Amino acid sequence: MTAPSFRLVCVDCGASHAGLEPRYRCACGGTLDVTHDLSALRDGVSFDLFDRRLASKAPADRSGVWRFRELILPLPPEEIVTKPEGNTNLYRSDRLAAWVGIDDLAFKHEGENPTGSFKDRGMTVGISVAKKLGMERVACASTGNTSASMASYAAMAGMRAYVFIPEGKVAFGKLSQALAYGAVTIQIAGGFDVAMSLVQEACAARGVYLLNSINPFRIEGQKAIAFELLQDLAWSVPDWIVVPGGNLGNSAALGKGLQELLALGLIPRLPKLAVIQAAGSNPFVTAFRTGKPLVPLATAETRATAIRIGDPISWRKSLRGVLASGGVVDEVSDQEILDAKAQLDASGVGAEPASCASVAGARKLALSGVIGRGERVCGILTGHLLKDPEIVIDYHRAALPGIVSNFANALRRSEPSLKAVLAAMGD
């Protein structure tokens, strides 16, 4: 790929930079977009092409990211690092739809990716670019899912991985993955935003390739969630897509990918995007409601650790997608998140707490009339149930301070006799 058909363009000032270089920000400090030559792609991409690849045995075609490679990154198949990722399921539950208050409701479960979260979609592209650039070391700051994904893909590519985590703020289900995959894991005394600042400084000082969502190629991979969701729906466009909001890379990616499909004439309209933050980590909500630039939170707090972020890097990109679609940004409390999680889990689907912000958000927007009961709604579940098993047990034990376990499924104790067991079983 001696002459890439894409550029890195600043979201703030519009300056254009070479497509393949280890750059994360513009000289002005703005974040970057990978900008494709859509006019050159228009005659070469089609839904029929993407559908034909579903039947292929080629590793790139089997990936739910690289199946759409013309719209992601035009890397040769031999340069791609893939597990493969994607190909996640779209779930429906009459029981859950009734509780949320939306008749046509489905959830795409990104927790079914190889390391258990949507991060794999961006990481396959980020690591593949690192390989193309000849990088031998990669790093990220993480509340858990990014570190698990990066550590796995780096190990596959033979790279050294460095993970910066906020001390005491990462669920064991995620931390265990980073350690198991061999990443050098450094606990930082402070929150995610402190770790994020330090990892950027460390990468610059040591020449390490940074793989947080500030890396524009990560966003390109995560666009595939939107592409695959539409493919799941036989290329029909839902009325709403509801997604949790943390560092806002996912919502930024969804908005970017959908706008590119619209520009290519592949879809007739945009679905509305609803980005849902936790009430204790809600700087994007404030920015959206006031129409002013985002002001970082000094302290972000929520039990949904994956979205416990007070200074989201991708907020401008996310806002662009929300506004273009006529969507909304809203917040839900930890109580609402954990009750929604209990309902989702009990439907047989299950997800980590941050994922369930989309469930709680859809319910809140339906109750307020923002989303109509008869509209077609798709939510994104970002991580696997077992990413944070401690909070599941504590909710059902009614052991979470400040949280009422409204839908607890309490453990039942029984003496070792048939009579006692039958009594414990109840009716």
Side-chain angles (χ1 to χ4, degrees):
M1 192 168 58
T2 55
S5 58
F6 56 89
R7 302 281 293 174
L8 298 178
V9 177
C10 179
V11 173
D12 289 358
C13 75
S16 179
H17 307 272
L20 269 179
E21 59 178 72
R23 175 188 288 273
Y24 321 108
R25 288 189 183 273
C26 178
C28 77
T31 55
L32 301 171
D33 267 334
V34 176
T35 302
H36 301 271
D37 183 354
L38 295 182
S39 62
L41 291 174
R42 187 165 281 109
D43 294 332
V45 296
S46 67
F47 292 155
D48 182 61
L49 169 66
F50 301 144
D51 284 343
R52 288 200 308 272
R53 287 176 177 165
L54 277 173
S56 170
K57 299 298 183 183
D61 293 345
R62 290 174 66 85
S63 165
V65 172
W66 297 106
R67 181 160 68 247
F68 312 103
R69 51 190 171 272
E70 290 84 358
L71 302 177
I72 302 294
L73 206 66
L75 285 176
E78 65 272 13
E79 295 182 359
I80 290 171
V81 181
T82 179
K83 297 198 66 140
E85 46 291 314
N87 302 304
T88 59
N89 286 298
L90 190 65
Y91 291 98
R92 299 179 185 276
S93 163
D94 291 341
R95 177 185 184 281
L96 187 64
W99 185 77
V100 172
I102 297 170
D103 294 334
D104 191 350
L105 178 68
F107 285 94
K108 188 161 182 63
H109 205 328
E110 291 298 294
E112 294 178 349
N113 274 285
T115 73
S117 84
F118 74 94
K119 302 289 187 177
D120 292 346
R121 290 191 187 261
M123 204 57 68
T124 180
V125 181
I127 287 286
S128 295
V129 170
K131 177 182 174 182
K132 178 73 175 177
L133 293 171
M135 294 292 181
E136 297 180 350
R137 298 179 297 173
V138 294
C140 71
S142 179
T143 55
N145 284 328
T146 301
S147 63
S149 183
M150 187 194 73
S152 174
Y153 279 82
M156 286 189 64
M159 298 175 186
R160 186 70 157 161
Y162 299 89
V163 168
F164 290 51
I165 62 171
E167 190 170 23
K169 303 287 187 178
V170 177
F172 282 172
K174 303 171 187 180
L175 176 58
S176 63
Q177 289 178 280
L179 297 174
Y181 294 130
V184 176
T185 304
I186 304 167
Q187 291 186 321
I188 304 297
F192 170 82
D193 302 306
V194 175
M196 185 67 223
S197 177
L198 286 170
V199 76
Q200 292 179 77
E201 294 177 26
C203 284
R206 290 286 182 89
V208 178
Y209 193 59
L210 181 61
L211 279 171
N212 278 98
S213 58
I214 191 174
N215 185 309
F217 296 107
R218 280 272 315 278
I219 300 298
E220 292 306 289
Q222 288 166 217
K223 291 188 318 188
I225 299 173
F227 302 157
E228 193 177 275
L229 172 61
L230 294 183
Q231 191 172 40
D232 293 338
L233 297 172
W235 303 110
S236 63
V237 180
D239 296 304
W240 288 86
I241 297 177
V242 187
V243 60
N247 217 15
L248 302 177
N250 222 11
S251 53
L254 290 168
K256 183 175 187 291
L258 290 164
Q259 287 179 78
E260 289 169 350
L261 291 181
L262 183 67
L264 287 166
L266 292 174
I267 57 174
R269 60 178 176 84
L270 294 173
K272 295 178 181 179
L273 288 178
V275 181
I276 309 298
Q277 293 202 293
S281 299
N282 64 348
F284 191 43
V285 176
T286 302
F288 179 78
R289 289 175 177 172
T290 63
K292 297 179 180 179
L294 184 140
V295 177
L297 295 179
T299 303
E301 287 298 336
T302 173
R303 285 187 168 86
T305 57
I307 54 175
R308 186 190 284 156
I309 296 170
D311 189 9
I313 284 174
S314 297
W315 75 270
R316 289 187 186 277
K317 294 181 181 182
S318 181
L319 181 62
R320 178 181 59 192
V322 171
L323 294 177
S325 73
V328 299
V329 180
D330 211 333
E331 64 186 355
V332 288
S333 67
D334 279 4
Q335 180 71 59
E336 290 172 303
I337 289 172
L338 293 174
D339 281 346
K341 173 174 166 51
Q343 290 291 327
L344 178 76
D345 292 352
S347 75
V349 179
E352 70 166 318
S355 297
C356 300
S358 61
V359 184
R363 176 177 164 86
K364 180 179 180 180
L365 294 174
L367 288 172
S368 66
V370 174
I371 294 179
R373 188 178 191 95
E375 293 191 276
R376 192 179 203 183
V377 180
C378 293
I380 307 299
L381 304 175
T382 48
H384 195 280
L385 170 67
L386 296 180
K387 285 284 189 171
D388 195 349
E390 296 92 343
I391 202 166
V392 178
I393 300 300
D394 285 346
Y395 178 89
H396 290 290
R397 290 175 55 235
L400 292 171
I403 297 295
V404 179
S405 297
N406 291 313
F407 305 104
N409 179 21
L411 284 168
R412 301 182 184 187
R413 187 181 182 280
S414 172
E415 295 298 326
S417 69
L418 177 60
K419 180 179 180 180
V421 167
L422 293 176
M425 289 172 66
D427 295 332

